[in-house]
Amino acid sequence: MTVVDSALRSPVNYSPSGKDVKALRFIEEMTRNVDFVQKKVIREILSRNSETEYLKRFGLKGFTDRKTFKSKVPVVTYDDLKPEIQRIANGDRSMILSSHPITEFLTSSGTSAGERKLMPTIDEDMDRRQLLYSLLMPVMNLYVPGLDKGKALYFLFVKAESKTPGGLPARPVLTSYYKSEQFKRRPYDPYNVYTSPNEAILCPDSSQSMYSQMLCGLLMRHEVLRLGAVFASGLLRAIGFLQTNWKELADDISTGTLSSRISDPAIKESMSKILTKPDQELADFITSVCCQDNWEGIITKIWPNTKYLDVIVTGAMAQYIPMLEYYSGGLPMACTMYASSESYFGINMKPICKPSEVSYTIMPNMAYFEFLPHEVEPEQSELVELADVEVGKEYELVITTYAGLNRYRVGDILQVTGFYNSAPQFKFVRRKNILLSIESDKTDEAELQKAVENASVLLGEKGTRVIEYTSYAETKTIPGHYVIYWELLVKDQTKPPSDEVMAQCCLEMEESLNSVYRQSRVADKSIGPLEIRVVKNGTFEELMDYAISRGASINQYKVPRCVSFTPITELLDSRVVSTHFSPALPHWSPERRR
Ligand code: AMP
């Protein structure tokens, strides 16, 4: 029996029961029949979407097989689909991409022309996402026993949403999920009991939401068995919040009353059932732990029964691993799933492994997956089927979804690490073309270049120019922020740019960055003010000398537009002559510019 296989793979003495058996069976079935399931998925998608305007364009003539599909339908990017997406957003209800009505747009953290990309979704997609979520705990239970004996302290948030001109909601996928009936009315599951009430998660004011979620976590500190946020940056933000607000939180606990900063009636109502009486002992404990300067291991001090951290630390989030290790005293970090606004992809079958060993197994029922060998353009190479990828090779993920994305380049680079049954497992290598990222923001080289250009206009007519620049994501502080190193050519040495002008340059750079960056700065406060560090003349030449001494070719040397290698950042920092921070918040509103 296949479930026995799963139990045998489990390092703990655990025999799954009920719902877990069903989920593990499902995983076995999917991973043993990858190619069969993929064939079925593409057949279903092409049959139901054959009358869409988009697919009709390519003359599939009723064929639903992969060979015909691949020979006729092109591989595309978001920008190729923008006209169709815009028409749907403007209210055109005809079958453009999907035969099922598009019910909302999921706003991706990937951007196009500075705005979040809009991903079409149909009603039934929610069930697909729910299905993937339902597989996570049965897998986790194979590795960590007793998770039904306590609670999960997860910091979960909704973000601002807007409506497209045609009236469809446009919001991030997790906001859509937390606001869904599937989430709000989820049946009681002893393995999935959260300390945060729904009302706290669903509050659009991120500060009230965070405050009440943290308060619940403190009140239930002994029951907490796992701590998490979607991404590592979110959990560190919560620790940073505790650092600034522990006195007020301890005060609420000591008096048994909720801070006046909470004005949301739904939170007040739900908290009145949780914060029911004063608890001086707990307040004293929080004070004694938090008043210390050294916060090493704070997570295990406050939540002593925590078995692991549930956070994604793969991809751009890997930069946060050292800080999480510091605050948690080295607790395991579980990266449980790999997903996006376009589609959810897969799960980690060994969630308690080292971050460097995390691999995701794509569930073949989620969408139709193809793999473009990395650094080869689609015209020059056949795309590879999910079942045919080769161990060790890197590929770009291309998907075809039920909601009407056809052969769409997601932009993620994955490397095949092995197989689970016949399902390939992938390491997330990186997202294409991304230079800087603090949390969900993604800034590419062209955006950074534009921001530097726009800001340097402020240096005025006096002839001062930015002659070289590079950047660095500073994540050792909470919240993290962008650091941009500038080497200036100051024509009139008697009149270097004033501090005020330099500060305005910082702000102008922020104004020029994409809407996800600005939302993180303004609404979520998850990114701190942008910093410009002016370096001494000749620093970038030294940087080149250093690269050449390490084997770079003189002819092909290009200034790296982002640096993270410590000797390089140390070199740059040792040449800094002045530092400047953005003095204000850039503009941002939930409404799209276009
Ligand atoms: P979004 O479209 O904003 O939902 O972001 C989805 C993107 O986040 C994916 O395409 C990946 O680049 C990244 N991502 C999602 N899950 C993971 C993960 N487990 N590890 C690394 N990166 C991830």
Side-chain angles (χ1 to χ4, degrees), residues 107-110 116 173 231 312 314-316 335 337-342 345 360 410 412 428 431 440 442:
T107 53
S108 163
S109 56
R116 285 172 177 269
V173 60
F231 289 112
I312 290 176
T314 40
C335 300
M337 67 190 281
Y338 168 42
S340 78
S341 315
E342 291 91 333
F345 304 129
Y360 300 100
V410 174
D412 288 348
F428 182 94
R431 197 167 167 102
S440 55
K442 299 175 175 69

Side-chain angles (χ1 to χ4, degrees), residues 146-147 149-155 193-196 213-228 235 299-300 302-309 331:
L147 290 172
K149 307 287 184 295
K151 296 184 180 174
L153 167 50
Y154 285 160
F155 295 95
V193 182
Y194 298 162
T195 51
S196 303
Q213 296 197 53
M214 184 60 83
L215 187 54
C216 293
L218 295 175
L219 289 166
M220 298 175 222
R221 62 183 276 265
H222 286 294
E223 292 170 74
V224 171
L225 300 185
R226 53 203 164 116
L227 236 92
L235 187 53
I299 291 180
T300 31
I302 299 185
W303 295 282
N305 300 318
T306 313
K307 296 175 188 242
Y308 66 93
L309 304 180
L331 281 174

Side-chain angles (χ1 to χ4, degrees), residues 243-255:
Q243 251 161 353
T244 351
N245 296 284
W246 60 266
K247 281 196 184 118
E248 198 175 337
L249 289 154
D251 207 41
D252 284 9
I253 295 171
S254 120
T255 58

Side-chain angles (χ1 to χ4, degrees), residues 107 158-162 170-172 175 179 204 519 523-524 588-590:
T107 53
V158 294
K159 291 200 180 190
E161 59 180 82
S162 62
R171 52 194 181 179
T175 298
K179 289 186 173 177
Q519 179 173 8
D524 308 339
W588 175 80
S589 94

Side-chain angles (χ1 to χ4, degrees), residues 352-373:
I352 302 292
C353 66
K354 285 197 209 132
S356 58
E357 287 166 10
V358 173
S359 286
Y360 300 100
T361 305
I362 290 188
M363 285 294 128
N365 62 315
M366 300 306 291
Y368 170 59
F369 299 97
E370 291 175 88
F371 295 83
L372 178 61

Side-chain angles (χ1 to χ4, degrees), residues 297 300 309 324-333:
T300 31
L309 304 180
L324 280 178
E325 279 173 342
Y326 175 81
Y327 287 122
S328 75
L331 281 174
M333 296 170 211

